[in-house]
Amino acid sequence: MAATILDTLEYTQVQRMLAERCQFSLAIERAQELGPTSKPDIVAYLLDVTSEAVELLESRPGFSVGGIKDIRERVERAVIGSTLQPTDLLDILDSVSAARELRRSFFRLEDRDTRFPHFSEFIGFVADLPGLEADLQRSISDHGSVLDSASDELASIRRRLRAAQSRAAERIRRYTQNADYTDALQDPIVTSRGGRFVVPVRADRRAQLPGMVHDTSASGQTLFVEPTEMVELNNQVRELESAEQHEIERILRWLTAQVAAQEDSLLTTLDGAAAIDLALAKARLAGAMSATRPTMVTERDPKRRRLALNKARHPLLPRDEVVPLDLVLGREFRVLVITGPNTGGKTVALKTVGLLALMAQSGMFIPADEGSELPVFDAVYADIGDEQSIEQSLSTFSSHLVRVIAALAGVTDQSLVLFDELGAGTDPEEGSALARAIISTLVDSGCLAIGTTHYSELKTYAYTTDLVENASVEFNVDTLSPTYRLEIGVPGRSNALAIAARLGMPEGILERARAFTDPDAEHADLLIAEIRARRREAEEALEEAERRRIEAEERLQEAEERRARAELEALAEIEQELAGAREHIRNIRRAPEQVAAEQVSSTRSEAQAQLNKATREVRRATRERAPQQPPAARPKVGDTVELLALGGEGEIVSLSEDGFDAEVQMGAFKIWQPLRDLKKTKAAQETRRQRSSVTPAPSRHVDHEIHLRGQRAGSIEVVLDSYLDDAYLSHMPFVRIVHGKGTGALRDAVREVLRRHPLVQRFETPPHNEGGDGVTIAYLKES
């Protein structure tokens, strides 16, 4: 795309907004250099990256590249052998540490490789350099100085230096406290000159304190003297300071070499971090604009390509002030001719379409509703610029023609062309003819194009020409202001006389003007007004119908929620009833042997009544929920079935008159269940073992061993109780309960249940070769 086109469509302003949301200086450069691409696969890739960034910020709002800095210049200096200073190395340390934290933050994300494959690729470029980071942390302080820990030699030199400085300071302080030198000193203080301790001596008392003069005050009244006995001590300090500086320079040269050795890793880290930060900036910009991902149309056939924008907004205009744009272009018509008043929004519509196309082809989301579609254009041509433009760019007729000619020379069937005020700035008749010729050329080229005009002849031309359609922006004559609503299929009408009348133009002048007006044109304006009014009525009716549909859906959803709540409450009540029934059944099974048969029968009858009541509630609550079974799959009398609502198995002994319910024998109990809640397990056998009228049969095949390992100690009582009941009914003399050793908590819980269980005679631990403490053998009473 030509740079002038990017400026015309204000793409550079979007680049600026994107750069403001970058946190890394290298990413800011990339944002300022960003441009649209015409390759569909690259566009799709860039939009995929932005989609990942949007999802990433939604799940981790604070995710960022941290404190990574642009250290390219420092790395280049290290490579050519220029010694880096501690502040340079501190910037490199900050960047390496931030890169490590970036990797760690990303690796904490769940399903990162499947949710963020492109970010995983970027993170792969971000190097983890623990060795370099450790060397720099050991050597450079947070303030950019070399630490004692940088080397053992430096630590030793600094210890000796501090000791020498302390001795020298202590020695020279004696001169300020010695009464023999009080008169000679200008002030009783210690200072330094050239790195050596000195005292200020009055010039007229110079002979009183022998030593070397290092400096003189501006007035000449004060001499800064190094006492003779301080020379050797100061020499020691200076020698150690020199040794310290040499060791620091050696350390810096070594660290510089370490940085140079990691050149490739450091530079790729910067590239990976810049790619991540730029993608995150696109996501932040999308959030600020309430932007969505457009669907990119890769269809190359001009007859099938389509551009569709839903509630599109110009990104540089305040969202609460702009009227959203709905626009469709392609397939039925490829050229749209927009007419309407000045300042009505025609130019903004052109710029919105062009700018959103450029944003999408740069991998940015667009400020429009979901479902917007944009082709991938090989080029965008635009001639926009008059007193109505956002940039206030004034152009002459000649400059317009230069841009139009350039566009026509390069346009293809994959291009987008935007022309503002076609043929304006010259004789209306010639300008109109030229505009129609340009539109015909655009139609022949197969491109998608939008043009604005004030010429009435172009309205008729659009009606009579295939692949060309009229559009207009509304104007409210009562308020003398545009509504900025774009209407496709309806040309704009002239409002000059209406506006003049509204502003108070004398009626006589208006009558004369109407006399000069072509009657056919006036009639056309009246027809346009009628079409517009009828369209508005249809739109309002459609909006009202949509509103009622939404209200109906909301009421239906509310009713469905109420029904679901009622169903849950009913099922909770049923579950409570079932719990009571099960408790009575357990009481029967646990009844002591000395309880009379009448008491057992009474208890069983009470349990049967409660179970039947609960069953009826289950049937009522579930009758409408389960699907009907096909006739071939329906259980019949004599079939063994599984009770889906209650669990367990039983045998069908009878069917209801309507054929929807079945009476099922479960041990000593009979219950009614809907057929739809029964699942046939096998056909009835001709010969069945007769069940006792007092003792129920087991509800399932019982193994001599049960495994409870891995279960919680507090939850095994119900399982173990049911197993022991079934084992007792199966006439087993003993059973093996495998609970494992572990901490012993599960074993203790098992044995506590056995100790209290009415069917268990005794229990014991088997020999070591049969499981030892991990198994308990329970001997059952004779049935």
Side-chain angles (χ1 to χ4, degrees):
M1 308 291 178
T4 55
I5 300 299
L6 300 182
D7 287 335
T8 297
L9 294 175
E10 298 167 311
Y11 179 80
T12 52
Q13 297 298 316
V14 175
Q15 286 178 308
R16 176 186 57 78
M17 296 169 65
L18 180 63
E20 290 174 351
R21 287 163 174 81
C22 294
Q23 298 177 347
F24 180 26
S25 58
L26 183 55
I28 293 176
E29 290 184 15
R30 301 280 173 85
Q32 294 168 342
E33 297 168 355
L34 182 67
T37 177
S38 59
K39 297 181 178 180
D41 54 340
I42 297 180
V43 173
Y45 169 79
L46 294 176
L47 289 173
D48 287 343
V49 171
T50 304
S51 296
E52 288 184 17
V54 170
E55 182 181 354
L56 179 55
L57 288 184
E58 288 176 350
S59 59
R60 289 285 183 87
F63 189 88
S64 72
V65 297
I68 294 180
K69 301 176 182 178
D70 185 3
I71 56 174
R72 289 175 297 176
E73 183 267 339
R74 297 167 180 80
V75 174
E76 291 171 0
R77 281 168 43 206
V79 171
I80 64 176
S82 177
T83 302
L84 298 178
Q85 296 305 304
T87 52
D88 298 328
L89 295 170
L90 180 60
D91 286 343
I92 294 174
L93 172 59
D94 290 341
S95 298
V96 172
S97 299
R100 172 179 51 79
E101 182 59 30
L102 174 61
R103 287 172 56 87
R104 188 168 67 176
S105 298
F106 182 77
F107 288 142
R108 283 199 292 259
L109 297 172
E110 296 181 359
D111 303 326
R112 57 183 179 274
D113 293 332
T114 54
R115 294 170 60 197
F116 312 110
H118 298 101
F119 267 70
S120 294
E121 179 185 356
F122 297 154
I123 287 292
F125 288 101
V126 178
D128 188 13
L129 303 173
L132 178 60
E133 184 178 5
D135 290 337
L136 293 174
Q137 284 179 334
R138 185 181 65 252
S139 304
I140 307 299
S141 74
D142 294 340
H143 304 292
S145 60
V146 179
L147 296 168
D148 292 0
S149 55
S151 74
D152 294 340
E153 179 65 18
L154 180 61
S156 175
I157 291 172
R158 284 181 171 173
R159 281 195 301 271
R160 287 181 285 149
L161 175 60
R162 286 191 290 271
Q165 288 172 335
S166 178
R167 289 195 300 270
E170 179 63 27
R171 179 68 60 86
I172 199 168
R173 272 197 298 271
R174 296 177 184 176
Y175 288 92
T176 65
Q177 300 168 355
N178 195 325
D180 296 338
Y181 303 116
T182 303
D183 295 339
L185 296 179
Q186 191 73 266
D187 294 297
I189 62 172
V190 175
T191 184
S192 65
R193 290 293 185 274
R196 305 177 76 85
F197 289 117
V198 295
V199 291
V201 178
R202 293 168 56 181
D204 58 347
R205 300 293 180 92
R206 167 71 180 83
Q208 191 173 343
L209 199 159
M212 184 179 298
V213 177
H214 285 276
D215 197 6
T216 306
S217 67
S219 65
Q221 298 299 313
T222 303
L223 305 177
F224 295 94
V225 178
E226 177 186 13
T228 302
E229 67 173 335
M230 288 296 302
V231 172
E232 182 59 29
L233 290 174
N234 278 332
N235 285 345
Q236 292 177 7
V237 171
R238 293 296 294 159
E239 288 173 1
L240 289 170
E241 288 176 344
S242 178
E244 176 192 30
Q245 188 58 38
H246 284 114
E247 179 62 13
I248 288 175
E249 290 176 355
R250 185 194 69 78
I251 292 170
L252 294 179
R253 288 194 299 272
W254 183 79
L255 291 174
T256 299
Q258 300 303 109
V259 171
Q262 300 293 344
E263 175 192 11
D264 291 341
S265 296
L266 290 170
L267 294 181
T268 56
T269 294
L270 297 181
D271 288 337
I276 292 172
D277 194 38
L278 182 59
L280 294 175
K282 290 180 179 179
R284 296 185 190 106
L285 182 61
M289 293 181 175
S290 298
T292 63
R293 176 173 180 166
T295 300
M296 303 308 296
V297 180
T298 58
E299 177 62 55
R300 308 293 292 179
D301 185 356
K303 297 179 180 179
R304 303 178 62 183
R305 301 180 80 206
R306 183 173 185 263
L307 181 155
L309 296 178
N310 301 327
K311 300 292 186 293
R313 304 173 302 278
H314 194 288
L316 302 183
L317 298 177
R319 184 179 181 183
D320 56 349
E321 296 179 9
V322 66
V323 176
L325 173 69
D326 291 304
L327 187 145
V328 177
L329 184 63
R331 296 183 186 172
E332 293 83 3
F333 55 91
R334 295 201 294 267
V335 179
L336 193 64
V337 178
I338 304 177
T339 52
N342 289 334
T343 70
K346 301 189 302 298
T347 302
V348 173
L350 285 183
K351 288 191 172 184
T352 300
V353 175
L355 183 54
L356 267 54
L358 298 180
M359 289 175 63
Q361 292 183 216
S362 302
M364 288 183 270
F365 285 9
I366 62 172
D369 284 1
E370 296 281 355
S372 295
E373 301 178 22
L374 284 169
V376 179
F377 298 107
D378 63 1
V380 177
Y381 299 98
D383 174 35
I384 302 174
D386 59 14
E387 69 276 9
Q388 312 300 330
S389 71
I390 296 175
E391 289 295 323
Q392 296 298 314
S393 173
L394 303 178
S395 303
T396 64
F397 175 69
S398 298
S399 63
H400 276 289
L401 282 184
V402 169
R403 291 194 288 268
V404 170
I405 291 170
L408 294 177
V411 70
T412 71
D413 60 1
Q414 304 299 312
S415 302
L416 174 65
V417 178
L418 307 169
F419 285 158
D420 193 22
E421 300 295 350
L422 273 170
T426 186
D427 176 73
E429 184 176 353
E430 292 184 351
S432 174
L434 182 60
R436 282 175 283 176
I438 292 172
I439 292 175
S440 297
T441 302
L442 295 176
V443 171
D444 294 340
S445 72
C447 71
L448 298 181
I450 304 175
T452 69
T453 183
H454 284 287
Y455 293 134
S456 299
E457 293 84 354
L458 263 65
K459 303 176 190 177
T460 305
Y461 175 78
Y463 266 131
T464 58
T465 305
D466 291 337
L467 301 178
V468 182
E469 183 59 275
N470 274 304
S472 61
V473 288
E474 284 185 333
F475 188 87
N476 191 322
V477 179
D478 295 332
T479 62
L480 299 181
S481 61
T483 65
Y484 299 103
R485 292 183 70 254
L486 182 69
E487 292 186 311
I488 296 177
V490 179
R493 59 173 298 195
S494 173
N495 293 293
L497 297 182
I499 293 173
R502 190 79 171 80
L503 293 175
M505 180 68 72
E507 184 60 29
I509 296 176
L510 294 175
E511 287 297 330
R512 289 187 178 185
R514 293 188 185 96
F516 293 138
T517 302
D518 185 353
D520 292 337
E522 184 176 359
H523 181 65
D525 280 346
L526 293 175
L527 288 177
I528 291 173
E530 184 178 354
I531 293 172
R532 196 185 302 276
R534 291 185 178 181
R535 169 173 287 197
R536 174 56 58 84
E537 292 175 358
E539 290 176 351
E540 290 176 352
L542 184 61
E543 291 174 357
E544 176 64 18
E546 178 66 13
R547 184 186 63 79
R548 292 183 177 181
R549 183 190 65 80
I550 294 175
E551 289 180 354
E553 289 182 351
E554 291 175 350
R555 287 196 296 270
L556 181 61
Q557 182 178 0
E558 183 179 352
E560 183 65 23
E561 291 175 353
R562 285 200 302 269
R563 186 198 65 79
R565 284 196 300 270
E567 184 176 279
L568 289 175
E569 292 172 358
L571 289 177
E573 183 179 348
I574 293 168
E575 182 63 30
Q576 186 176 0
E577 295 285 350
L578 288 175
R582 293 190 184 102
E583 181 62 27
H584 278 286
I585 293 173
R586 282 196 292 270
N587 290 336
I588 294 173
R589 290 173 174 173
R590 293 180 179 179
E593 295 179 358
Q594 65 270 21
V595 176
E598 293 81 4
Q599 184 177 353
V600 173
S601 176
S602 174
T603 304
R604 182 181 297 111
S605 300
E606 184 181 352
Q608 180 70 59
Q610 288 199 22
L611 189 59
N612 287 341
K613 179 181 178 183
T615 301
R616 288 194 298 272
E617 293 295 329
V618 171
R619 291 164 56 194
R620 179 182 60 79
T622 60
R623 182 182 294 275
E624 300 301 326
R625 295 193 303 156
Q628 289 287 347
Q629 299 181 15
R634 289 181 183 173
K636 56 184 179 296
V637 174
D639 283 346
T640 300
V641 292
E642 178 183 358
L643 283 74
L644 300 178
L646 301 177
E649 294 182 355
E651 179 183 343
I652 296 178
V653 295
S654 65
L655 297 175
S656 63
E657 294 182 0
D658 57 9
F660 287 108
D661 302 312
E663 187 178 21
V664 182
Q665 180 81 42
M666 291 184 69
F669 297 96
K670 294 181 181 181
I671 58 175
W672 285 92
Q673 286 283 286
L675 279 178
R676 65 188 67 189
D677 283 351
L678 302 178
K679 180 181 179 182
K680 184 165 61 175
T681 58
K682 61 181 179 179
Q685 304 295 325
E686 291 184 2
T687 303
R688 288 187 173 275
R689 183 171 58 86
Q690 297 296 322
R691 294 182 174 85
S692 171
S693 61
V694 175
T695 305
S699 61
R700 55 187 170 88
H701 170 72
V702 183
D703 194 59
H704 78 286
E705 185 175 273
I706 182 172
H707 289 261
L708 300 178
R709 285 178 296 186
Q711 297 196 34
R712 295 181 179 272
S715 62
I716 54 94
E717 181 173 359
V718 174
V719 176
L720 187 55
D721 178 65
S722 176
Y723 171 71
L724 292 172
D725 288 351
D726 288 342
Y728 176 80
L729 296 175
S730 297
H731 306 286
M732 288 185 175
F734 66 88
V735 293
R736 283 172 51 88
I737 304 168
V738 181
H739 43 65
K741 297 179 181 179
T743 62
L746 184 58
R747 178 190 62 220
D748 294 343
V750 167
R751 294 184 177 181
E752 179 61 27
V753 172
L754 297 178
R755 190 175 292 110
R756 293 183 286 102
H757 203 282
L759 299 180
V760 177
Q761 185 173 5
R762 63 186 176 88
F763 58 87
E764 64 182 25
T765 301
H768 181 73
N769 60 352
E770 296 181 11
D773 289 337
V775 176
T776 296
I777 297 179
Y779 292 90
L780 305 179
K781 296 179 180 179
E782 292 185 4
S783 59

PDB file of all heavy atoms in Angstrom, residues 605-619:
ATOM      1  N   SER A 605     -44.116 -54.262  56.014  1.00  0.00           N
ATOM      2  CA  SER A 605     -45.291 -53.625  55.425  1.00  0.00           C
ATOM      3  C   SER A 605     -45.159 -52.113  55.434  1.00  0.00           C
ATOM      4  O   SER A 605     -45.500 -51.428  54.465  1.00  0.00           O
ATOM      5  CB  SER A 605     -46.555 -54.058  56.191  1.00  0.00           C
ATOM      6  OG  SER A 605     -46.719 -55.452  56.131  1.00  0.00           O
ATOM      7  N   GLU A 606     -44.673 -51.590  56.557  1.00  0.00           N
ATOM      8  CA  GLU A 606     -44.474 -50.132  56.634  1.00  0.00           C
ATOM      9  C   GLU A 606     -43.448 -49.678  55.606  1.00  0.00           C
ATOM     10  O   GLU A 606     -43.640 -48.669  54.924  1.00  0.00           O
ATOM     11  CB  GLU A 606     -44.018 -49.767  58.047  1.00  0.00           C
ATOM     12  CG  GLU A 606     -43.869 -48.254  58.248  1.00  0.00           C
ATOM     13  CD  GLU A 606     -43.405 -47.928  59.650  1.00  0.00           C
ATOM     14  OE1 GLU A 606     -43.351 -48.852  60.494  1.00  0.00           O
ATOM     15  OE2 GLU A 606     -43.093 -46.749  59.896  1.00  0.00           O
ATOM     16  N   ALA A 607     -42.356 -50.429  55.462  1.00  0.00           N
ATOM     17  CA  ALA A 607     -41.329 -50.086  54.469  1.00  0.00           C
ATOM     18  C   ALA A 607     -41.883 -50.180  53.064  1.00  0.00           C
ATOM     19  O   ALA A 607     -41.594 -49.342  52.202  1.00  0.00           O
ATOM     20  CB  ALA A 607     -40.116 -51.010  54.619  1.00  0.00           C
ATOM     21  N   GLN A 608     -42.719 -51.245  52.839  1.00  0.00           N
ATOM     22  CA  GLN A 608     -43.311 -51.399  51.508  1.00  0.00           C
ATOM     23  C   GLN A 608     -44.201 -50.208  51.171  1.00  0.00           C
ATOM     24  O   GLN A 608     -44.195 -49.688  50.056  1.00  0.00           O
ATOM     25  CB  GLN A 608     -44.132 -52.697  51.458  1.00  0.00           C
ATOM     26  CG  GLN A 608     -44.802 -52.956  50.107  1.00  0.00           C
ATOM     27  CD  GLN A 608     -43.788 -53.314  49.047  1.00  0.00           C
ATOM     28  OE1 GLN A 608     -43.053 -54.283  49.180  1.00  0.00           O
ATOM     29  NE2 GLN A 608     -43.732 -52.530  47.984  1.00  0.00           N
ATOM     30  N   ALA A 609     -44.952 -49.728  52.155  1.00  0.00           N
ATOM     31  CA  ALA A 609     -45.833 -48.574  51.912  1.00  0.00           C
ATOM     32  C   ALA A 609     -45.034 -47.338  51.569  1.00  0.00           C
ATOM     33  O   ALA A 609     -45.360 -46.579  50.646  1.00  0.00           O
ATOM     34  CB  ALA A 609     -46.716 -48.343  53.143  1.00  0.00           C
ATOM     35  N   GLN A 610     -43.985 -47.107  52.339  1.00  0.00           N
ATOM     36  CA  GLN A 610     -43.151 -45.921  52.053  1.00  0.00           C
ATOM     37  C   GLN A 610     -42.478 -46.047  50.697  1.00  0.00           C
ATOM     38  O   GLN A 610     -42.367 -45.081  49.951  1.00  0.00           O
ATOM     39  CB  GLN A 610     -42.097 -45.749  53.147  1.00  0.00           C
ATOM     40  CG  GLN A 610     -42.670 -45.281  54.467  1.00  0.00           C
ATOM     41  CD  GLN A 610     -41.586 -44.681  55.353  1.00  0.00           C
ATOM     42  OE1 GLN A 610     -40.560 -44.266  54.852  1.00  0.00           O
ATOM     43  NE2 GLN A 610     -41.845 -44.653  56.643  1.00  0.00           N
ATOM     44  N   LEU A 611     -42.005 -47.229  50.375  1.00  0.00           N
ATOM     45  CA  LEU A 611     -41.344 -47.427  49.089  1.00  0.00           C
ATOM     46  C   LEU A 611     -42.312 -47.227  47.944  1.00  0.00           C
ATOM     47  O   LEU A 611     -41.984 -46.619  46.917  1.00  0.00           O
ATOM     48  CB  LEU A 611     -40.722 -48.833  49.044  1.00  0.00           C
ATOM     49  CG  LEU A 611     -39.813 -49.132  47.849  1.00  0.00           C
ATOM     50  CD1 LEU A 611     -38.651 -48.157  47.811  1.00  0.00           C
ATOM     51  CD2 LEU A 611     -39.298 -50.563  47.923  1.00  0.00           C
ATOM     52  N   ASN A 612     -43.567 -47.722  48.105  1.00  0.00           N
ATOM     53  CA  ASN A 612     -44.562 -47.517  47.062  1.00  0.00           C
ATOM     54  C   ASN A 612     -44.894 -46.049  46.877  1.00  0.00           C
ATOM     55  O   ASN A 612     -45.080 -45.554  45.764  1.00  0.00           O
ATOM     56  CB  ASN A 612     -45.832 -48.314  47.398  1.00  0.00           C
ATOM     57  CG  ASN A 612     -45.647 -49.805  47.189  1.00  0.00           C
ATOM     58  OD1 ASN A 612     -44.728 -50.210  46.478  1.00  0.00           O
ATOM     59  ND2 ASN A 612     -46.486 -50.620  47.818  1.00  0.00           N
ATOM     60  N   LYS A 613     -44.982 -45.324  47.994  1.00  0.00           N
ATOM     61  CA  LYS A 613     -45.252 -43.876  47.906  1.00  0.00           C
ATOM     62  C   LYS A 613     -44.131 -43.157  47.171  1.00  0.00           C
ATOM     63  O   LYS A 613     -44.372 -42.321  46.288  1.00  0.00           O
ATOM     64  CB  LYS A 613     -45.410 -43.305  49.317  1.00  0.00           C
ATOM     65  CG  LYS A 613     -45.669 -41.796  49.336  1.00  0.00           C
ATOM     66  CD  LYS A 613     -45.789 -41.268  50.749  1.00  0.00           C
ATOM     67  CE  LYS A 613     -45.990 -39.751  50.734  1.00  0.00           C
ATOM     68  NZ  LYS A 613     -46.046 -39.194  52.117  1.00  0.00           N
ATOM     69  N   ALA A 614     -42.901 -43.479  47.526  1.00  0.00           N
ATOM     70  CA  ALA A 614     -41.755 -42.852  46.849  1.00  0.00           C
ATOM     71  C   ALA A 614     -41.729 -43.223  45.379  1.00  0.00           C
ATOM     72  O   ALA A 614     -41.427 -42.408  44.509  1.00  0.00           O
ATOM     73  CB  ALA A 614     -40.448 -43.275  47.521  1.00  0.00           C
ATOM     74  N   THR A 615     -42.097 -44.471  45.098  1.00  0.00           N
ATOM     75  CA  THR A 615     -42.089 -44.915  43.706  1.00  0.00           C
ATOM     76  C   THR A 615     -43.100 -44.148  42.878  1.00  0.00           C
ATOM     77  O   THR A 615     -42.858 -43.764  41.739  1.00  0.00           O
ATOM     78  CB  THR A 615     -42.386 -46.418  43.645  1.00  0.00           C
ATOM     79  OG1 THR A 615     -41.404 -47.112  44.400  1.00  0.00           O
ATOM     80  CG2 THR A 615     -42.371 -46.906  42.208  1.00  0.00           C
ATOM     81  N   ARG A 616     -44.305 -43.929  43.475  1.00  0.00           N
ATOM     82  CA  ARG A 616     -45.307 -43.150  42.735  1.00  0.00           C
ATOM     83  C   ARG A 616     -44.800 -41.740  42.437  1.00  0.00           C
ATOM     84  O   ARG A 616     -45.064 -41.195  41.371  1.00  0.00           O
ATOM     85  CB  ARG A 616     -46.609 -43.110  43.559  1.00  0.00           C
ATOM     86  CG  ARG A 616     -47.362 -44.426  43.591  1.00  0.00           C
ATOM     87  CD  ARG A 616     -48.785 -44.216  44.115  1.00  0.00           C
ATOM     88  NE  ARG A 616     -48.777 -43.705  45.475  1.00  0.00           N
ATOM     89  CZ  ARG A 616     -48.737 -44.488  46.562  1.00  0.00           C
ATOM     90  NH1 ARG A 616     -48.698 -45.806  46.447  1.00  0.00           N
ATOM     91  NH2 ARG A 616     -48.764 -43.932  47.774  1.00  0.00           N
ATOM     92  N   GLU A 617     -44.084 -41.167  43.407  1.00  0.00           N
ATOM     93  CA  GLU A 617     -43.539 -39.824  43.173  1.00  0.00           C
ATOM     94  C   GLU A 617     -42.497 -39.846  42.058  1.00  0.00           C
ATOM     95  O   GLU A 617     -42.423 -38.933  41.236  1.00  0.00           O
ATOM     96  CB  GLU A 617     -42.902 -39.277  44.467  1.00  0.00           C
ATOM     97  CG  GLU A 617     -43.879 -39.004  45.575  1.00  0.00           C
ATOM     98  CD  GLU A 617     -44.825 -37.890  45.197  1.00  0.00           C
ATOM     99  OE1 GLU A 617     -44.416 -36.993  44.449  1.00  0.00           O
ATOM    100  OE2 GLU A 617     -46.001 -37.924  45.615  1.00  0.00           O
ATOM    101  N   VAL A 618     -41.677 -40.885  42.040  1.00  0.00           N
ATOM    102  CA  VAL A 618     -40.684 -41.022  40.968  1.00  0.00           C
ATOM    103  C   VAL A 618     -41.365 -41.137  39.616  1.00  0.00           C
ATOM    104  O   VAL A 618     -40.989 -40.517  38.627  1.00  0.00           O
ATOM    105  CB  VAL A 618     -39.767 -42.230  41.224  1.00  0.00           C
ATOM    106  CG1 VAL A 618     -38.885 -42.494  40.019  1.00  0.00           C
ATOM    107  CG2 VAL A 618     -38.924 -41.976  42.465  1.00  0.00           C
ATOM    108  N   ARG A 619     -42.426 -41.984  39.589  1.00  0.00           N
ATOM    109  CA  ARG A 619     -43.152 -42.150  38.322  1.00  0.00           C
ATOM    110  C   ARG A 619     -43.746 -40.832  37.854  1.00  0.00           C
ATOM    111  O   ARG A 619     -43.682 -40.484  36.680  1.00  0.00           O
ATOM    112  CB  ARG A 619     -44.252 -43.200  38.519  1.00  0.00           C
ATOM    113  CG  ARG A 619     -43.730 -44.610  38.723  1.00  0.00           C
ATOM    114  CD  ARG A 619     -44.809 -45.509  39.285  1.00  0.00           C
ATOM    115  NE  ARG A 619     -45.995 -45.512  38.443  1.00  0.00           N
ATOM    116  CZ  ARG A 619     -47.180 -45.998  38.816  1.00  0.00           C
ATOM    117  NH1 ARG A 619     -47.323 -46.510  40.009  1.00  0.00           N
ATOM    118  NH2 ARG A 619     -48.204 -45.954  37.992  1.00  0.00           N
TER     119      ARG A 619
END
